[in-house]
Amino acid sequence: QVKLVESGGGLVQPGGSLRLSCVASGPSLDYIALGWFRQAPGKEREALGCWTKIDGDINVADSVKGRFTISINNAKDTLYLQMNNLRPEDTADYSCATVCRAVVANGNVVGSWGQGTQVTVSS
């Protein structure tokens, strides 16, 4: 089982930047994907983008393209989310997971998920 820990969230003014980190740890890092997600109050969880072992190219969702960038370190145990030109609508809980899409099967969320880190964009 993989443990994921997010960090880097906080309060930032509109137009500001934050870099989030997702660190994976465990006896065996056998995941084939790592992705970033966010969920604002009252809204559905949104997949922002992910890295996959098979397809190493990392894309981000159209909603944040041009402002957000996802990258992964050489050891493939840390996923980053660089967020620039932040807007109030970016306010959300940001999580990482060993999946590219949030899926529920047999009442359980598929994959390993971190606890999340809160990002608040406000003046």
Side-chain angles (χ1 to χ4, degrees), residues 4-80:
L4 302 176
V5 178
E6 303 94 340
S7 63
L11 176 64
V12 63
Q13 295 185 78
S17 298
L18 284 174
R19 190 180 80 157
L20 307 184
S21 298
C22 168
V23 179
S25 62
S28 180
L29 304 182
D30 56 355
Y31 46 81
I32 61 173
L34 285 175
W36 278 107
F37 302 80
R38 69 179 181 182
Q39 187 168 30
K43 300 185 68 176
E44 294 184 357
R45 191 184 307 276
E46 178 185 15
L48 298 175
C50 68
W51 162 88
T52 65
K53 190 174 183 179
I54 297 175
D55 187 1
D57 190 38
I58 303 175
N59 297 312
V60 297
D62 289 340
S63 60
V64 298
K65 189 170 295 183
R67 298 188 300 118
F68 290 13
T69 302
I70 297 174
S71 60
I72 194 165
N73 65 346
N74 290 334
K76 305 299 187 288
D77 62 2
T78 305
L79 193 71
Y80 302 99

Side-chain angles (χ1 to χ4, degrees), residues 71-115:
S71 60
I72 194 165
N73 65 346
N74 290 334
K76 305 299 187 288
D77 62 2
T78 305
L79 193 71
Y80 302 99
L81 177 62
Q82 178 67 47
M83 305 184 293
N84 299 323
N85 193 23
L86 284 161
R87 306 165 180 171
E89 52 263 43
D90 294 319
T91 296
D93 181 74
Y94 286 73
S95 302
C96 62
T98 58
V99 294
C100 291
R101 290 288 186 272
V103 176
V104 178
N106 300 122
N108 298 120
V109 180
V110 174
S112 297
W113 290 74
Q115 294 297 306

